[in-house]
Amino acid sequence: MTDKDWEKVRYFKKTEFGADADKMSAQLIYALDHLRHICGRPIRVNSAYRAIDPGSTHSAGLAADIVISDLSLIDQYLLAEKTGLFSGIGLYPYWGKPGLHLDVRKLKKLELGKRWIRDNKNNYIALNADNLKRCVI
């Protein structure tokens, strides 16, 4: 992200993404900004660029962990899904305030987006009805 890119962002300040905000993907920041626009609520960024996770979407500047204020985890997920802008969406029901991992990873041809839940033992499990009931509801 350049300073010129940040000028196009309506709802977030560069400082909300930490000291390495310039390493963030413009595509991700614009997608988060659009999500903030359609939900009409503040979004807290818990984590964005993390150099300590080599090979992860965070270390590539393609991911952020967020919480949308005053929304259930399911409603946060449905809003993020509705945008069609995120190729990776993870549900984290066991954070202090449940939230989402959102990313704009590149997908292989004909590959569907990645969707998962992190359970109470920090295992990454498939997002399906059974796991959703077990972890979220």
Side-chain angles (χ1 to χ4, degrees):
M1 288 281 292
T2 66
D3 286 339
K4 193 168 187 151
D5 292 328
W6 282 107
E7 290 173 10
K8 299 174 189 173
V9 178
R10 297 174 286 181
Y11 297 103
F12 291 98
K13 294 182 177 119
K14 184 177 175 178
T15 55
E16 293 177 83
F17 292 87
D20 291 314
D22 290 334
K23 294 179 181 176
M24 299 302 298
S25 155
Q27 179 186 358
L28 174 68
I29 301 302
Y30 297 153
L32 290 169
D33 204 48
H34 181 71
L35 176 62
R36 169 62 181 86
H37 179 73
I38 66 169
C39 75
R41 299 167 185 268
I43 294 177
R44 185 181 75 232
V45 178
N46 287 341
S47 179
Y49 179 83
R50 295 194 306 248
I52 59 170
D53 292 338
S56 77
T57 53
H58 282 282
S59 68
L62 300 172
D65 297 336
I66 61 110
V67 174
I68 302 174
S69 297
D70 301 318
L71 279 184
S72 71
L73 182 59
I74 297 302
D75 288 335
Q76 291 180 61
Y77 168 73
L78 292 171
L79 275 170
E81 196 69 78
K82 181 179 178 179
T83 69
L85 298 173
F86 302 102
S87 47
I89 302 177
L91 285 74
Y92 292 75
Y94 298 102
W95 285 345
K97 291 190 176 194
L100 304 173
H101 163 102
L102 300 173
D103 69 56
V104 293
R105 71 183 70 195
K106 301 285 184 231
L107 297 173
K108 296 174 184 157
K109 190 174 181 178
L110 302 177
E111 182 180 24
L112 299 174
K114 304 288 184 183
R115 305 294 184 259
W116 68 92
I117 303 170
R118 193 167 82 183
D119 70 11
N120 62 344
K121 295 177 184 163
N122 290 326
N123 296 311
Y124 294 88
I125 58 177
L127 176 57
N128 59 39
D130 288 339
N131 289 338
L132 195 58
K133 287 177 196 171
R134 185 168 62 88
C135 292
V136 180
I137 298 173

